[in-house]
Amino acid sequence: MRHVSIPKNGGQTMGNYIAFFDLLGIKAIASYNSELYFDNIKSFQYVLKECSNILSTTKYQIRAFSDCAYVECSDIGLLFEYLISLRETLFLKQIFFNAAVTEGTLDSPTHIENNDNIVCISFKSHETVKVYSMQTAFSGVGIYIDPNVYAKLSQTLRDKYTIKSAYCVYDKEESYNKFELYCDLKYNDITPHHIKFLLMNYLKTIALNKKASRYYLSAILTCINQISFENLTKQYLDLFLNVDIRSMNKTIFHDLLPIHLMLINRLYDSYNELTPCKGLNPNHNLEEYLDKITKNGLYSPFFHL
């Protein structure tokens, strides 16, 4: 494998990297609205090409079929930029995907047989199997970074692009949901509209497919972890707690519990951020913020046991 030096991304020596991703919920759409299905596929493939200008200064290749795609790039920073831009652009079209990133190459010659009537793309590298396996095991909306890749990133790249998050996994043997930690890519921008959209999609999907709804939790947690503590407590905490669920079945109140626990975890992790704030008593304010969460709706009896 040929290695290249990329000083603009922190002076770190890099090799080739690949990502695999596909659209979420596309099979369900196909079952009830073929026109929307084709529109989403068309939008996806258009955005793949539109965002590829980010990769134009480095060696790359994209291999797409229907609702999924492989990408290879020799610059990990630009690959991150591409995936972030792709996620953001598709988000505006209400299209979600999940992805995985690892080291490797595609090695994908195209074999044409039968006078161009049959086109077969063959991926020969073991890494394409590895990244595919990672992506299919990742039950979240987000971009899963191989821990081995993360370990080799410079601190500059980690600080600029990555954020710790978690995704929900159903344990069949124990019959309960658990969370697995992973490293996601940061969003370019998080707005109240962004948060509301994720929350409402999570709650609406619960009524249709509870298993599918858990995918949104990883994206919500990534946002919670990325928002600064000051903005979270002053602007977003009430937004998370005042979700309009009055018109929904009361049995899904309990499905907000993971999000409330995420908020509590974030508040405790960021406890030290309160100390430098002028005019604030850290203990008093932390209790105030936690009180907002624990007394929300039907959860207060649970939290005060």
Side-chain angles (χ1 to χ4, degrees), residues 227-293:
I227 297 169
S228 71
F229 183 81
E230 183 178 2
N231 285 340
L232 181 64
T233 53
K234 291 185 177 180
Q235 182 179 4
Y236 287 93
L237 191 58
D238 287 336
L239 177 62
F240 278 108
L241 299 179
N242 294 331
V243 179
D244 183 11
I245 54 177
R246 290 169 295 182
S247 61
M248 299 183 183
N249 193 311
K250 289 185 179 180
T251 59
I252 68 168
F253 267 79
H254 132 175
D255 293 299
L256 286 170
L257 177 59
I259 296 172
H260 288 189
L261 292 176
M262 291 174 187
L263 289 168
I264 291 172
N265 186 71
R266 174 73 167 108
L267 289 174
Y268 273 111
D269 282 350
S270 304
Y271 177 78
N272 291 332
E273 293 186 44
L274 282 170
T275 306
C277 297
K278 295 180 180 180
L280 290 178
N281 179 322
N283 293 324
H284 170 75
N285 282 273
L286 184 59
E287 290 175 3
E288 177 187 337
Y289 299 138
L290 290 174
D291 204 43
K292 279 187 176 182
I293 300 171

Side-chain angles (χ1 to χ4, degrees), residues 181-194:
L181 297 176
Y182 80 104
C183 189
D184 199 351
L185 293 181
K186 293 179 179 178
Y187 288 89
N188 277 331
D189 189 32
I190 296 175
T191 65
H193 172 74
H194 185 116

Side-chain angles (χ1 to χ4, degrees), residues 9-45:
N9 283 335
Q12 184 170 336
T13 299
M14 291 291 181
N16 279 6
Y17 290 83
I18 57 174
F20 176 76
F21 47 94
D22 72 352
L23 302 187
L24 296 173
I26 196 72
K27 293 179 179 64
I29 292 173
S31 67
Y32 69 85
N33 190 329
S34 60
E35 287 300 320
L36 181 59
Y37 170 84
F38 287 120
D39 285 346
N40 281 3
I41 296 295
K42 184 178 179 181
S43 294
F44 172 60
Q45 295 183 350

Side-chain angles (χ1 to χ4, degrees), residues 190-202:
I190 296 175
T191 65
H193 172 74
H194 185 116
I195 298 297
K196 287 179 182 178
F197 184 69
L198 285 173
L199 286 171
M200 295 313 296
N201 270 276
Y202 168 63

